């Protein structure tokens, strides 16, 4: 919307031309979203449902009674801010209804005490499939992989299921990572920020992408603006979620965050970026999903002495405090993500 104002009214007042700068839009989008979330969240969280505790979770009793589903507030702010700051002709805006759908599914899951695993799996699949179809459409998709010279062109009937799987895993891994004050928000915000930076400076930049021999995403800057808007929203939320937390994001926040990470990974045209920027998120959350799936469907008992999500194992078995979990997970997340991204870009 603001870029439209710049195009049509920039000639009447010079400073309005700033609104045509993607960098400026990303910066003020981040700041406005962070400030709005910081102001609005405490005014509305008394209307949110209350946490009832989770079975088998470590220190679950410490969260009982706290406002839950803060994601309902900051994801709504994200969607409104995206409509304001992202160029109105950007196709990525068509993914916003699916962000709202993921938020609503998460909210009702928080409020009613939980859908069944299979119900959530089906709803997540439908949302992931819809987003993948919006991003790729009916045209062939071009992806790139480290160590593979040149780009790979995939027909829609392969590209869309591949993207659906990436997004579905991202939703569920992020959702399972929630449970320690500040951890899920910090890990996901960092992953989103890294992806946004890559989309803005590398994958969406024709000169840099050509240097690294990477297919260009012409809408990389628009995706980056969405990424930094969400980082701002999560920053405003983390102000109140820092230990000891005053409010919890719930599934209403973790599911849309996972959805956005999956969408940004698909937008990079490299599905392996889910492993590169989300390695600690996947290790923390998705490993438990694999463990349960292997035991339930194939009778394989692996990692039986390790609790999942992994942050519960660190607190229960290793005696880490919540602060130690946060700091150590963040250090691993930043170090591993930076190293892997640099290696992948150079391997090209």
């Amino acid at each position: 919307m603001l870029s439209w104002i710049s195009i049509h009214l920039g000639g009447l007042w010079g400073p309005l031309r700033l609104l045509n700068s993607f960098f400026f839009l990303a910066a003020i989008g981040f700041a406005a979203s962070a400030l709005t979330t910081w102001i609005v969240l405490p005014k509305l969280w008394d209307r949110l449902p209350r946490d009832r505790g989770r079975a088998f979770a470590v220190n679950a009793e410490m969260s009982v009674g706290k406002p839950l589903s803060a994601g309902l507030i900051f994801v709504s702010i994200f969607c409104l801010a995206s409509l304001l700051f992202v160029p109105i002709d950007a196709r990525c805006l068509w993914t916003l209804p699916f962000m709202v759908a993921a938020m609503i599914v998460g909210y009702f899951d928080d409020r009613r005490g939980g859908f069944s695993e299979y119900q959530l799996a089906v709803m997540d699949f439908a949302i992931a499939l819809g987003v993948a179809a919006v991003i790729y459409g009916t045209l062939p998709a071009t992806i790139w992989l480290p160590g593979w010279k040149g780009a790979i062109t995939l027909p829609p009937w392969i590209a869309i299921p591949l993207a659906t799987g990436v997004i579905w895993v991202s939703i569920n891994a992020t959702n399972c990572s929630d449970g320690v004050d500040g951890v899920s928000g910090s890990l996901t915000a960092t992953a989103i920020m890294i992806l946004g930076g890559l989309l803005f400076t590398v994958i969406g930049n024709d000169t840099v992408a050509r240097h690294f021999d990477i297919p260009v995403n012409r809408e990389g800057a628009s995706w980056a603006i969405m990424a930094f808007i969400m980082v701002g929203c999560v920053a405003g939320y983390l102000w109140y979620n820092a230990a000891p937390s005053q409010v919890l994001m719930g599934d209403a926040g973790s599911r849309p965050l996972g959805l956005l990470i999956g969408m940004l990974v698909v937008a990079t045209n490299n599905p392996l970026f889910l492993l590169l920027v989300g390695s600690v998120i996947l290790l923390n959350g998705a490993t438990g999903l694999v463990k349960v799936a292997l035991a339930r469907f194939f009778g394989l008992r692996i990692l039986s002495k390790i609790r999942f999500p992994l942050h519960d194992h660190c607190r229960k078995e290793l005696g880490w405090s919540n602060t130690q979990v946060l700091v150590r997970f963040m250090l691993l997340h930043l170090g591993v993500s930076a190293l892997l991204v640099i290696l992948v870009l150079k391997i090209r």
Side-chain angles (χ1 to χ4, degrees), residues 33 100 112 122 125 132-133 137 168 170 175 186 200 213 245 273 307 324:
S33 300
V100 173
R112 63 182 288 181
V122 170
F125 177 80
W168 188 92
S170 180
N175 182 57
S186 298
F200 189 88
D213 194 23
S245 62
F273 266 123
R307 300 172 65 100
Q324 287 175 318

Side-chain angles (χ1 to χ4, degrees), residues 96-141:
L96 291 180
F98 296 96
M99 289 289 291
V100 173
M103 176 188 71
I104 292 173
V105 168
Y107 171 71
F108 281 107
D109 188 44
D110 291 335
R111 185 173 181 177
R112 63 182 288 181
F115 291 110
S116 73
E117 295 173 354
Y118 299 109
Q119 287 175 322
L120 286 172
V122 170
M123 288 186 282
D124 291 341
F125 177 80
I127 291 170
L129 178 62
V131 168
V134 166
I135 295 174
Y136 281 143
T138 59
L139 299 176

Side-chain angles (χ1 to χ4, degrees), residues 173-192:
T174 305
N175 182 57
C176 291
S177 293
D178 194 18
V180 177
D181 293 344
V183 168
S184 183
S186 298
L187 294 177
T188 54
T190 303
I192 291 170

Side-chain angles (χ1 to χ4, degrees), residues 155-228:
W157 59 272
I158 294 179
I160 291 177
L162 175 63
T164 300
V166 168
I167 295 168
W168 188 92
V169 169
S170 180
I171 293 172
N172 286 275
T174 305
N175 182 57
C176 291
S177 293
D178 194 18
V180 177
D181 293 344
V183 168
S184 183
S186 298
L187 294 177
T188 54
T190 303
I192 291 170
M193 184 167 57
I194 293 173
L195 288 167
L198 285 168
L199 284 161
F200 189 88
T201 62
V202 180
I203 297 166
N205 186 308
D206 187 70
T207 302
V208 179
R210 193 184 305 116
H211 171 75
F212 285 113
D213 194 23
I214 293 173
V216 179
N217 185 337
R218 302 295 177 185
E219 289 197 337
S222 297
W223 282 108
I225 293 172
M226 288 183 68
F228 287 112

